[in-house]
Amino acid sequence: MAAVLRAFFFYIFLVFIVRVVGRRPGKQITPFEFVLVFFMGGLALTAMVGDDASLTNALLQIITIAFAHYGVAFLRSRSNRLARLFDGTPLILMKDGLWRAETLSKMGIQDDDVMATARDQGILTLDQIDLAILERNGEISIVKKEAE
């Protein structure tokens, strides 16, 4: 029963810490924030099932990571250079009907992935796309051509 109570406690504690540290919707979570969530979850899991079952040790580790994340997020908001380092920059996948093959290849994206996103927006053909961008959060944005 102690393991169940410990799991419940860490669930509530992690939800609280993640709410305190940041409030982005799921689709806007950056890779930087995914690392935070998984890392803190791993620390909690280690405290629940690992040899070192010290509740205090686990809480201090999670709080330390939360403060580190808050500090780095604060620095990112003050420095564009740090923001680009942690979050990346938007990348153009297609412009004026031409694919950026090198960017697609480096990012491991197929042209079909871009077209799937376009179809979600009601765009059926390439000639309707003005611009396709891989955003910092990993989503693909499509800019439709203006009607002439």
Side-chain angles (χ1 to χ4, degrees):
M1 187 65 176
V4 172
L5 291 174
R6 197 178 294 151
F8 178 74
F9 171 77
F10 274 109
Y11 170 76
I12 298 298
F13 182 70
L14 287 175
V15 168
F16 171 75
I17 290 293
V18 170
R19 289 287 286 167
V20 168
V21 171
R23 291 183 169 211
R24 288 188 182 200
K27 282 190 166 185
Q28 294 180 358
I29 291 178
T30 64
F32 177 67
E33 289 158 333
F34 271 119
V35 169
L36 170 74
V37 170
F38 286 113
F39 188 56
M40 287 193 319
L43 291 173
L45 183 63
T46 301
M48 285 186 278
V49 298
D51 294 336
D52 179 20
S54 166
L55 190 64
T56 305
N57 188 31
L59 292 177
L60 288 174
Q61 289 175 349
I62 291 169
I63 289 170
T64 299
I65 296 305
F67 276 124
H69 174 77
Y70 186 77
V72 171
F74 175 78
L75 292 174
R76 275 183 22 226
S77 71
R78 300 283 187 248
S79 167
N80 287 335
R81 184 175 283 167
L82 276 179
R84 284 192 307 271
L85 176 67
F86 283 109
D87 297 332
T89 58
L91 300 172
I92 296 174
L93 302 174
M94 179 184 174
K95 185 173 183 179
D96 299 327
L98 299 174
W99 293 105
R100 302 273 173 100
E102 186 176 336
T103 305
L104 288 166
S105 177
K106 279 185 180 178
M107 295 298 109
I109 296 174
Q110 303 283 327
D111 54 354
D112 291 340
D113 299 326
V114 176
M115 288 309 299
T117 301
R119 284 189 299 277
D120 286 343
Q121 296 181 14
I123 299 170
L124 301 177
T125 61
L126 282 176
D127 60 342
Q128 294 176 297
I129 300 174
D130 186 40
L131 195 61
I133 302 168
L134 178 63
E135 300 293 353
R136 297 180 341 164
N137 63 2
E139 280 190 39
I140 297 173
S141 296
I142 305 292
V143 178
K144 195 173 183 177
K145 281 187 181 176
E146 296 284 327
E148 293 180 18

